Amino acid sequence: MDSLNPTRRIAVYPGSFDPVTLGHMDIIRRAAKQFDKLIVAVLNNTSKNPLFTVEERKALLASATADLPNVEIDSFRDLLVRYMRTRNANVIIRGIRSVSDFEYELQMASTNHQLDSSIETIFMMTNPKYSYLSSSIVKEIAMFHGDVGELVPPEVEAALRAKFAAAPRADKRS
Ligand code: ADP
């Protein structure tokens, strides 16, 4: 158990992951190298209207990270800093794509530090080839039956195809 070894460095990468993209995967792979354990924590946010359920998002993340032994997939609905305490983690990982990401992330990081001064947020810059990539863009392309093969892990591509299989093709609509 984590609590038996307080010297282990445990980080949490929180987010919606609706669904996980190759941008997220790039951050996960890089962060996993820096910590003994990386917990990818899906936010169970009832105020958003997600495409995938929390269980579906966790299953997709688990499959996409199966080759990374120190990555664990979890979900939380509590305040992030409180969840982190239950997991003995004190580092939050967030990805930054743009200056506009930075403004929001700075606010979040400052708030979390205010709530618990032992918690640090570490920002990782996106790989430039994914700087435009977001879950929203992926969903939009998939909804219109566009090709997302270069943007998401294969299991996510299949799950998106299944979700939107019943939707009429955009180019066939009147
Ligand atoms: P949230 O709703 O918390 O922003 P997301 O799933 O959209 O959840 O993103 C989780 C984290 O991953 C955030 O820190 C976000 O900035 C980062 N992220 C999202 N897409 C990318 C990307 N293409 N490259 C790097 N980081 C990303």
Side-chain angles (χ1 to χ4, degrees):
M1 252 177 73
D2 304 336
S3 55
L4 295 179
N5 187 349
T7 58
R8 286 187 74 202
R9 299 178 67 236
I10 304 170
V12 170
Y13 180 29
S16 308
F17 305 105
D18 183 38
V20 58
T21 69
L22 293 185
H24 296 128
M25 286 304 300
D26 179 58
I27 300 287
I28 291 171
R29 285 185 190 284
R30 287 159 54 201
K33 287 192 195 141
Q34 304 299 327
F35 293 89
D36 296 316
K37 180 169 178 171
L38 177 70
I39 302 169
V40 181
V42 177
L43 173 61
N44 195 338
N45 184 346
T46 43
S47 69
K48 281 195 179 177
N49 190 11
L51 176 65
F52 292 99
T53 66
V54 170
E55 289 312 314
E56 287 172 327
R57 283 180 266 162
K58 282 171 71 177
L60 290 170
L61 275 161
S63 169
T65 60
D67 64 323
L68 300 170
N70 66 333
V71 172
E72 180 189 322
I73 311 301
D74 196 9
S75 60
F76 71 105
R77 57 166 75 237
D78 200 354
L79 208 53
L80 177 58
V81 294
R82 211 178 287 144
Y83 167 73
M84 300 214 16
R85 251 176 254 142
T86 68
R87 301 305 318 265
N88 286 308
N90 62 357
V91 173
I92 301 171
I93 300 291
R94 294 288 285 177
I96 296 268
R97 285 163 293 190
S98 60
V99 175
S100 55
D101 265 357
F102 181 74
E103 283 186 31
Y104 171 72
E105 295 293 343
L106 180 64
Q107 193 182 2
M108 291 286 293
S110 305
T111 307
N112 285 326
H113 193 75
Q114 185 85 29
L115 290 171
D116 185 336
S117 61
S118 71
I119 295 213
E120 295 292 347
T121 300
I122 293 186
F123 294 113
M124 299 190 73
M125 300 303 147
T126 184
N127 179 326
K129 70 178 176 184
Y130 300 131
S131 61
Y132 65 93
L133 185 54
S134 68
S135 298
S136 312
I137 283 181
V138 163
K139 284 183 276 191
E140 205 149 309
I141 297 171
M143 186 165 68
F144 293 110
H145 302 276
D147 183 4
V148 294
E150 307 268 288
L151 311 178
V152 295
E155 43 278 271
V156 174
E157 186 185 8
L160 282 165
R161 204 174 292 133
K163 278 272 179 208
F164 291 118
R169 284 181 64 110
D171 56 359
K172 298 272 166 65
R173 271 190 212 150
S174 54

